[in-house]
Amino acid sequence: MEAIEELAVQPCTSSLYLRPFRLSYRQNGTKKFWDFMRTHDSVSILIFNTSRQCFVVVKQFRPAVYMCEVERHHPQVFQNQDKESFPSLEKPLPAVVGVTYELCAGIVDKPGLSLEEIACEEVLEECGYHISTADLRRITSYRSGVGVTGSRQTLFYAEVNDQMRTTGGGGQPEEGELIEVVEIPLGESMKFAYDETFPKTMGVIFSFTWFHNNIAPKLPKK
């Protein structure tokens, strides 16, 4: 996962996932504009394994996170953003600075499938558990990246057990996915959620908190 080589940054003139726009508008009599991106909505799933009393999350390299760290250490990389090429880094940062812990998730890009069906596919592909739409509980939906994309993410909860795991997960290599499945013990989950040494998404923190407020009190006492 962390064997990253031959880094190169270049302008993005077209993309299957992002479309940049500039909106011009007048608000309370003042002329304004705002640059934004159109992208896909998404689903995410909080997975709890009842056999071992742990959360199942994923770990993967995120180029955008990595480049934020690169810019923080080497601000010159993006200083000449209007040029055709960007300066190369002689000594790139270790890839681990771009690795994050996340909920199982995926974009909504299949018009024929419901959000629940897409969520089931993602759980199987990324984490290896076979679930049905009846196994899902919708927690809520919210807007993410409100300053840039404004896309909607819908969060589900699913309980699984060891018998429901049919593959090792890991994503789809043919689509360039390289995902590591990670288990977070229930008793350590809130410490993990707020430990900044483990880079993670806000979805992990929110969903762990939701679980402790709504599901944990109903668990059988040992």
Side-chain angles (χ1 to χ4, degrees), residues 14 18 72 108 114 127 141 152 154 156 180 207 216 219:
S14 64
L18 301 173
R72 188 164 68 88
V108 177
S114 67
C127 300
S141 65
R152 180 189 298 274
T154 302
F156 294 97
E180 179 182 339
S207 61
L219 293 176

Side-chain angles (χ1 to χ4, degrees), residues 124-156:
L124 180 61
E125 292 172 5
E126 293 191 358
C127 300
Y129 291 92
H130 186 275
I131 66 172
S132 69
T133 57
D135 296 318
L136 290 170
R137 170 177 173 179
R138 180 171 177 147
I139 298 177
T140 190
S141 65
Y142 42 81
R143 296 288 180 178
S144 59
V146 292
V148 181
T149 67
S151 59
R152 180 189 298 274
Q153 183 167 89
T154 302
L155 173 62
F156 294 97

Side-chain angles (χ1 to χ4, degrees), residues 139-191:
I139 298 177
T140 190
S141 65
Y142 42 81
R143 296 288 180 178
S144 59
V146 292
V148 181
T149 67
S151 59
R152 180 189 298 274
Q153 183 167 89
T154 302
L155 173 62
F156 294 97
Y157 170 65
E159 291 185 357
V160 299
N161 56 51
D162 289 345
Q163 288 68 43
M164 297 167 69
R165 193 170 193 186
T166 58
T167 73
Q172 296 182 303
E174 65 274 15
E175 294 184 4
E177 292 184 323
L178 181 59
I179 295 172
E180 179 182 339
V181 181
V182 179
E183 296 182 344
I184 309 297
L186 176 59
E188 302 173 13
S189 58
M190 291 313 297
K191 179 181 178 181

Side-chain angles (χ1 to χ4, degrees), residues 40-94:
H40 293 90
D41 289 341
S42 60
V43 296
S44 61
I45 309 95
L46 172 63
I47 305 171
F48 183 67
N49 185 313
T50 58
S51 298
R52 289 194 300 284
Q53 297 288 290
C54 67
F55 295 106
V56 181
V57 300
V58 297
K59 180 181 176 183
Q60 57 187 317
F61 176 78
R62 290 298 194 180
V65 175
Y66 179 82
M67 292 310 297
C68 282
E69 288 299 304
V70 168
E71 184 178 19
R72 188 164 68 88
H73 289 84
H74 305 285
Q76 73 277 8
V77 171
F78 290 105
Q79 285 178 352
N80 298 320
Q81 57 184 333
D82 294 328
K83 293 186 176 181
E84 286 297 319
S85 62
F86 293 78
S88 60
L89 290 177
E90 295 183 0
K91 295 182 179 179
L93 296 179

